[in-house]
Amino acid sequence: MCGIVGYIGKKYNALNVLISGLERLEYRGYDSAGIAYVEGKTLKIEKEKGKISNLKSAIDVNIPSNLGIGHTRWATHGIASKINSHPHKVGKITIVHNGIIENYEDLKNELINNGVKFKSETDTEVACALLNKLYEDTNDMNETLCLFQKRVKGTYALGIICDDDYNTLYALKNKSPLIIAFGENENYIASDVPAILEFTNKYITLNDGEFAKITENKVTCYKDNEVINKKINEFEGSAESIEKNGYEHFMLKEIFEQPEVFKKTVFKYTENGIKSLIKIMPDFKKYKSIKIVACGSAMHAGIVGKSLIEEYGNIPVDVEIASEFRYKKLFIDKDTLVILVSQSGETADTLAALEIAKEKGCDTLGIINVLESSIARSSDIVLYTKAGSEIAVATTKAYSAQITLLSLIALNIACSKKLISEDEIKEILSEIKNLPIKIQSLLDKKDDYKEIAKKIYNKNNIFFIGRDIDYALCMEGSLKLKEISYINSQAYAAGELKHGTISLIEENTPVIAIVTNESISEKTISNIKEVKSRGADVVLVTTESLNKESDFYNEKIVIPNTHKLLQALLTVIPLQLLSYEIAKLRNCNIDKPKNLAKSVTVE
Ligand code: AGP
């Protein structure tokens, strides 16, 4: 997944806007970066392998320019190299691209037979060459873009400059995100709003199959070459909301934002007690089953949701990995609610799963963080998490907000089916009010996790074990650790370890053991003793009510008790901070881990 940005106008110098935009988009991919800009009557291209800072030091941002496009790359076709980085230029056409052209090989062969000589290994250069060929044939950019859409299969968000008209910037979108933002006498394109938020917060979202013709004081959008009108949105949040605000990393800032995020996410559903929860949320009673479909941490949140919705809502829930869901035999129909969980709302596999669910006649509900994102716009119902912009590749606050909404869905179903007592509802609402303080109490213990991290940061294998929801939290804790510290880690159902994997437990192998569920705590503790007796160094994560001195652990993290519907929101905090501290000790690039991108908009 890559980041693209473009600018046309006289208020700012194009190169400044492009570099600033790319710096904010770097979390979307950082193999290489490049810009194309018009200086006088000449279009120039600068690109460098590696981080934006390499590109920044290779150019003079004060070169006067009113038109430019920029790109930061997460390699899909062709290694990370200068020649493969964007922008690409063929003939009169220069482009930046986010996405994958699926039929690029056929197109490439056709173009080679037409005499085109390619320099790079990328699908993007093929797209550029096709655009140039179509423009040579039609001498009309609108026609060119319409023909391009007919010829190309795949996903793309394109920023395009044509040498015949340096007063116009074009944007074209299919499945990869692309916004157009409005200044006074200047306009922007970008993969997401934070990239240009320091300049304006007014934007529109291009939908699939739409393109735009952008000058410094006019934006015209088209669908099938017919002019269409688009609603202008105002982005919630400010430029500083995407700054680090004094934190060393975005990830730490976002971990510490979780009390506020929880409050914002629950507010509108509980401001008038349970009545608002019932009123605002859809009627879940009509569904016979629920499928939660997602990827990565969002899928882990789904597993927590499954446990809670089944226990409190008494409805069967399956959790599916989106990349599996889209290719398997499915038993879903109008009686199945399909819930798509996604922070970015642009994850290709989750978006594809959404389309399949709709084809099968299912109602679809998106639990999404990014306003107006593709999955949000395509879902029948959207429940927005209120996590704000999440910049760190490793999700924390958005994951917690996803669990929050899934807990509220479980509560909603329990209330509407009258499966829960008034007293328990009162207890839950009271715990919802107290939860931000309890989360904060764990954040305040940040230095305790640092001490534990010092003891295990140099290990090569770390295990997480737990049962029920604690097992789901183990999955998330293990992924956080792997993502940012590059330590190999496995999450295991505590009762399953002895069926093979326990053979990997050696002297001083760290095992993070999570025990928060009183009803099965003894079972988990006996599993912990099994690994302890084989030499493991156990870090126990447990609640105040289950806390007791014993010799089956080496280190202990005690978290406050809360209602089971909310307990995961406390359990995850030490796991996030432990991973963060371990990654710091290993001098890893915490906000931009190697090989990763914030949102995977390709298969
Ligand atoms: C989690 O830290 C990762 N960044 C990754 O697993 C992420 O959760 C996954 O790619 C899904 O992204 P989404 O929520 O934007 O769909």
Side-chain angles (χ1 to χ4, degrees):
M1 190 257 331
C2 311
I4 69 175
V5 64
Y7 173 78
I8 186 162
K10 296 192 176 62
K11 183 172 182 182
Y12 302 105
N13 185 359
L15 280 79
N16 271 316
V17 176
L18 298 179
I19 291 296
S20 156
L22 289 179
E23 285 171 336
R24 292 194 194 291
L25 286 168
E26 199 169 23
Y27 69 91
R28 299 174 62 89
Y30 25 88
D31 297 332
S32 58
I35 59 171
Y37 61 94
V38 173
E39 184 184 3
K41 294 200 177 330
T42 315
L43 182 129
K44 297 190 175 166
I45 293 180
E46 296 285 350
K47 39 192 187 181
E48 290 295 333
K49 189 180 169 200
K51 295 193 169 314
I52 310 283
S53 49
N54 298 351
L55 174 67
K56 198 171 174 180
S57 46
I59 61 173
D60 171 5
V61 287
N62 297 313
I63 292 172
S65 174
N66 302 325
L67 172 64
I69 50 179
H71 183 274
T72 182
R73 186 170 184 243
W74 185 66
T76 53
H77 291 73
I79 58 166
S81 67
K82 198 164 172 177
I83 194 75
N84 284 334
S85 57
H86 308 200
H88 287 280
K89 183 170 182 13
V90 178
K92 293 187 172 184
I93 302 293
T94 304
I95 70 170
V96 288
H97 168 221
N98 175 24
I100 283 187
I101 307 298
E102 291 179 1
N103 60 332
Y104 84 98
E105 281 155 329
D106 295 344
L107 293 170
K108 187 167 187 173
N109 293 333
E110 180 191 316
L111 290 159
I112 287 170
N113 293 337
N114 268 317
V116 177
K117 299 231 178 312
F118 288 95
K119 301 187 208 93
S120 79
E121 308 156 81
T122 66
D123 56 336
T124 303
E125 192 185 7
V126 173
C128 192
L130 177 62
L131 282 166
N132 185 60
K133 169 82 176 58
L134 296 171
Y135 181 67
E136 284 173 348
D137 296 348
T138 61
N139 200 34
D140 177 301
M141 276 304 288
N142 281 36
E143 271 304 300
T144 293
L145 299 181
C146 291
L147 291 170
F148 178 87
Q149 290 172 308
K150 292 188 174 72
R151 294 295 316 276
V152 164
K153 289 196 197 74
T155 62
Y156 47 84
L158 295 178
I160 306 165
I161 295 176
C162 174
D163 285 350
D164 287 348
D165 178 4
Y166 286 154
N167 295 313
T168 306
L169 170 63
Y170 291 90
L172 176 64
K173 189 248 194 240
N174 189 49
K175 301 253 188 280
S176 290
L178 191 56
I179 62 105
I180 298 166
F182 299 82
E184 284 102 46
N185 281 307
E186 75 283 352
N187 292 308
Y188 309 79
I189 65 169
S191 298
D192 62 25
V193 179
I196 46 79
L197 191 56
E198 70 182 279
F199 305 106
T200 180
N201 68 346
K202 292 179 181 53
Y203 72 101
I204 57 175
T205 304
L206 274 188
N207 292 325
D208 292 347
E210 295 176 355
F211 67 86
K213 185 173 181 177
I214 306 159
T215 65
E216 63 184 38
N217 45 33
K218 191 171 181 217
V219 175
T220 312
C221 294
Y222 299 84
K223 173 94 176 171
D224 302 328
N225 215 7
E226 297 288 327
V227 175
I228 53 173
N229 293 318
K230 302 282 287 182
K231 173 170 82 79
I232 295 184
N233 302 299
E234 284 214 357
F235 186 78
E236 289 175 18
S238 58
E240 56 271 357
S241 70
I242 57 175
E243 289 306 330
K244 289 181 197 158
N245 292 353
Y247 286 93
E248 192 176 352
H249 298 99
F250 279 112
M251 183 176 178
L252 189 62
K253 169 176 171 259
E254 290 154 8
I255 289 172
F256 275 75
E257 286 176 347
Q258 289 177 114
E260 207 44 45
V261 167
F262 176 80
K263 277 190 249 176
K264 282 186 191 156
T265 301
V266 299
F267 178 70
K268 74 174 190 176
Y269 297 107
T270 57
E271 57 177 327
N272 299 320
I274 220 63
K275 285 194 295 300
S276 39
L277 182 69
I278 302 293
K279 194 157 118 298
I280 295 178
M281 285 207 169
D283 171 15
F284 293 98
K285 289 196 301 297
K286 63 185 180 182
Y287 301 109
K288 293 200 178 102
S289 67
I290 292 175
K291 286 262 187 202
I292 300 175
V293 186
C295 303
S297 292
M299 188 268 289
H300 298 158
I303 297 174
V304 175
K306 165 188 167 67
S307 179
L308 296 175
I309 295 169
E310 287 185 337
E311 179 167 351
Y312 291 93
N314 198 35
I315 179 170
V317 180
D318 284 327
V319 178
E320 300 271 1
I321 296 172
S323 54
E324 295 293 306
F325 176 89
R326 59 186 299 192
Y327 296 112
K328 68 190 288 191
K329 186 174 176 63
L330 296 169
F331 301 90
I332 56 176
D333 58 21
K334 63 173 179 45
D335 295 327
T336 312
L337 172 66
V338 176
I339 298 178
L340 297 308
V341 184
S342 176
Q343 187 286 128
S344 63
E346 300 298 345
T347 300
D349 288 321
T350 311
L351 184 58
L354 165 63
E355 300 309 330
I356 291 166
K358 291 170 83 167
E359 284 160 18
K360 297 277 186 184
C362 304
D363 287 348
T364 56
L365 182 151
I367 293 181
I368 311 296
N369 196 43
V370 176
L371 196 66
E372 291 285 307
S373 54
S374 302
I375 298 173
R377 281 183 287 114
S378 300
S379 298
D380 299 312
I381 311 156
V382 184
L383 300 181
Y384 279 112
T385 48
K386 297 283 184 188
S389 289
E390 188 175 65
I391 306 299
V393 166
T395 182
T396 50
K397 62 177 184 173
Y399 164 85
S400 300
Q402 290 159 0
I403 289 182
T404 300
L405 280 183
L406 287 162
S407 304
L408 291 175
I409 289 172
L411 179 58
N412 168 287
I413 300 171
C415 294
S416 50
K417 287 182 170 179
K418 303 201 182 330
L419 298 172
I420 190 167
S421 70
E422 288 304 320
D423 286 349
E424 190 166 7
I425 291 173
K426 280 201 187 71
E427 182 204 343
I428 293 167
L429 291 174
S430 154
E431 279 304 304
I432 284 175
K433 275 203 178 60
N434 297 332
L435 205 76
I437 297 161
K438 292 186 175 181
I439 296 172
Q440 190 58 50
S441 71
L442 290 169
L443 296 172
D444 294 344
K445 287 183 185 168
K446 173 172 169 297
D447 292 343
D448 296 357
Y449 314 126
K450 201 179 290 185
E451 289 316 307
I452 296 175
K454 284 176 188 166
K455 294 173 182 160
I456 58 176
Y457 80 98
N458 54 358
K459 301 291 183 186
N460 297 322
N461 293 293
I462 297 182
F463 288 79
F464 289 75
I465 64 171
R467 289 174 180 258
D468 185 38
I469 286 186
D470 290 342
Y471 174 33
L473 270 295
C474 287
M475 292 177 193
E476 180 55 15
S478 173
L479 179 59
K480 287 285 100 37
L481 183 70
K482 284 181 279 193
E483 272 191 286
I484 63 174
S485 73
Y486 313 142
I487 293 176
N488 181 39
S489 167
Q490 290 188 48
Y492 242 83
E496 183 61 9
L497 207 62
K498 55 185 172 298
H499 298 284
T501 304
I502 200 164
S503 63
L504 297 180
I505 301 296
E506 296 166 342
E507 197 58 28
N508 303 128
T509 301
V511 174
I512 319 287
I514 304 177
V515 185
T516 67
N517 182 337
E518 195 130 8
S519 64
I520 48 175
S521 59
E522 284 315 314
K523 303 291 177 199
T524 311
I525 289 169
S526 61
N527 299 138
I528 296 170
K529 288 174 179 170
E530 287 158 8
V531 296
K532 189 82 180 76
S533 62
R534 288 164 175 77
D537 280 349
V538 173
V539 178
L540 175 67
V541 179
T542 193
T543 59
E544 285 158 359
S545 63
L546 289 173
N547 177 25
K548 52 179 178 278
E549 289 313 307
S550 173
D551 60 359
F552 66 79
Y553 56 82
N554 299 70
E555 303 291 337
K556 182 167 60 174
I557 298 171
V558 181
I559 62 177
N561 281 87
T562 184
H563 192 278
K564 185 174 181 184
L565 264 177
L566 305 167
Q567 190 66 58
L569 291 161
L570 297 177
T571 312
V572 75
I573 302 295
L575 306 183
Q576 293 168 342
L577 286 170
L578 197 53
S579 299
Y580 174 82
E581 294 299 344
I582 289 171
K584 256 187 84 176
L585 289 166
R586 294 170 66 97
N587 299 313
C588 295
N589 185 335
I590 290 173
D591 285 336
K592 299 177 200 121
K594 66 181 179 187
N595 303 340
L596 291 178
K598 181 60 181 171
S599 162
V600 186
T601 57
V602 294
E603 269 207 66

